[in-house]
Amino acid sequence: MTTDPSPRWPERLFVLGQRVLPHHRLTALMYRLARSEWPPLRRALIGGFARRFRIDIDEAQVPDPAAYPSFNAFFTRALRPEARPLGPAGTLLCPADGRLSQHGAITDGRLYQAKGHAFSLGDLLGGDEALAGEFADGSFATVYLSPRDYHRVHMPLAGTLRTMYHVPGRLFSVNDASTRLIPRLFARNERVVSVFDTAVGPLAMILVGAFFVGSIETVWSGQVTPTPRRTLGRWDYRAAQPPVQLARGAEMGRFNMGSTVILALPAGAVRWAEGLAPGAPLRMGEPLGHLATTGADVAI
């Protein structure tokens, strides 16, 4: 955890404005613009974005910006495999490029968000208190993806998919100001929860939507959001044949625009790396900590 600075008035006004905006309508507009293949718009969006955020296009499998059919295709571009080497076996890998927002213990079923704010893991998992109980006294890490980051999400260790949930909600921004000022932010925003069985027990990966981030995909189901369904969706994969097994470091999903990934692990599963601190820049594949067993890189 960290000592969070007091919010400034511009940040308070930014958050206040979010409360009255039609999140889903504006995000639906961005969805259409990002997928437009009209050449003038596509070139303007890709060129402006690449300059504004100083994108290192040389890391991409396709390093020519003109080769992408839409802004969204450019935004979710694949990287060359050697661009993100994986940490040693027996370590928990960072699932995405970004910045560490928070990490630590799940205490009394709650996760730390920011100074003065915590939220219920049960709420985050769509109200499934039995599932939340599997992570009692466990550990969590929250990784924030900025617009300039690589936006595919990868497995921090090998696992077999058990369940996926779609939890409808708002689409507040997930930047620093919002996390400090909006109570229960991550448990209020729309999200996709994937639960895996691994060598160290259950692993929950929560992909949190945000303002302009209304589209989340997984590699096994394709696009999960947006969807007209505004009630909890649940899919059970325990009887799937063949089972959905993903290797350590394999892609599991992606954000079509940037947002946040939250990991939850059971008690005793991970020992965080020394020096890991909120605000630290991260890259997919970097070790976040050491796992309880060196066999955790083998799918079960």
Side-chain angles (χ1 to χ4, degrees):
M1 290 188 247
T2 185
T3 301
D4 301 287
S6 298
R8 297 170 296 178
W9 278 110
E11 294 175 329
R12 294 180 183 277
L13 290 174
F14 169 74
V15 170
L16 180 63
Q18 289 188 67
R19 296 182 184 277
V20 298
L21 288 174
H23 292 181
H24 287 275
R25 290 182 183 178
L26 291 174
T27 300
L29 175 61
M30 176 60 74
Y31 181 95
R32 291 193 293 270
L33 289 174
R35 286 161 179 75
S36 172
E37 297 186 7
W38 184 45
L41 178 60
R42 171 178 57 84
R43 288 193 297 265
L45 289 175
I46 292 175
F49 181 85
R51 289 190 298 272
R52 168 69 177 81
F53 292 102
R54 300 179 181 179
I55 301 300
D56 184 2
I57 193 63
D58 290 335
E59 290 186 326
Q61 282 188 0
V62 180
D64 179 8
Y68 293 90
S70 68
F71 174 74
N72 188 68
F74 174 79
F75 192 86
T76 58
R77 63 197 175 278
L79 300 185
R80 294 181 288 104
E82 63 271 23
R84 295 294 183 274
L86 303 183
T91 59
L92 181 75
L93 303 180
C94 183
D97 281 15
R99 179 173 50 78
L100 184 67
S101 178
Q102 300 292 341
H103 75 294
I106 299 170
T107 304
D108 297 326
R110 299 180 69 78
L111 284 68
Y112 181 79
Q113 175 176 306
K115 184 179 180 181
H117 295 305
F119 57 97
S120 161
L121 178 61
D123 287 348
L124 184 69
L125 299 176
D128 191 332
E129 295 296 338
L131 176 59
E134 297 186 43
F135 300 96
D137 301 318
S139 303
F140 80 96
T142 303
V143 179
Y144 167 72
L145 290 72
S146 74
R148 69 168 298 168
D149 290 315
Y150 166 61
H151 280 84
R152 299 192 182 196
V153 181
H154 294 249
M155 293 294 291
L157 69 160
T160 300
L161 182 64
R162 183 202 301 182
T163 313
M164 181 177 76
Y165 298 82
H166 165 243
V167 188
R170 298 296 301 273
L171 290 172
F172 289 110
S173 169
V174 291
N175 65 4
D176 286 341
S178 300
T179 58
R180 295 200 304 272
L181 288 168
I182 300 176
R184 301 177 50 254
L185 172 62
F186 300 122
R188 295 170 69 175
N189 272 14
E190 186 169 34
R191 54 207 178 274
V192 174
V193 179
S194 302
V195 183
F196 297 87
D197 291 313
T198 80
V200 296
L203 163 71
M205 298 184 68
I206 301 96
L207 277 60
V208 183
F211 196 50
F212 289 154
V213 190
S215 181
I216 300 172
E217 300 178 20
T218 65
V219 297
W220 58 86
S221 66
Q223 183 172 291
V224 183
T225 68
T227 173
R229 182 184 57 251
R230 304 313 302 161
T231 57
L232 180 73
R234 182 181 185 276
W235 296 265
D236 193 325
Y237 290 89
R238 284 173 290 189
Q241 291 298 326
V244 180
Q245 294 181 324
L246 297 179
R248 181 176 185 262
E251 181 184 343
M252 62 78 62
R254 66 183 67 173
F255 289 112
N256 298 307
M257 304 299 280
S259 191
T260 293
V261 180
I262 302 175
L263 303 179
L265 295 107
V270 63
R271 185 177 74 255
W272 298 116
E274 292 185 12
L276 195 64
L282 300 170
R283 281 192 155 195
M284 191 287 289
E286 290 184 358
L288 293 178
H290 299 278
L291 294 163
T293 171
T294 56
D297 56 337
V298 179
I300 57 174

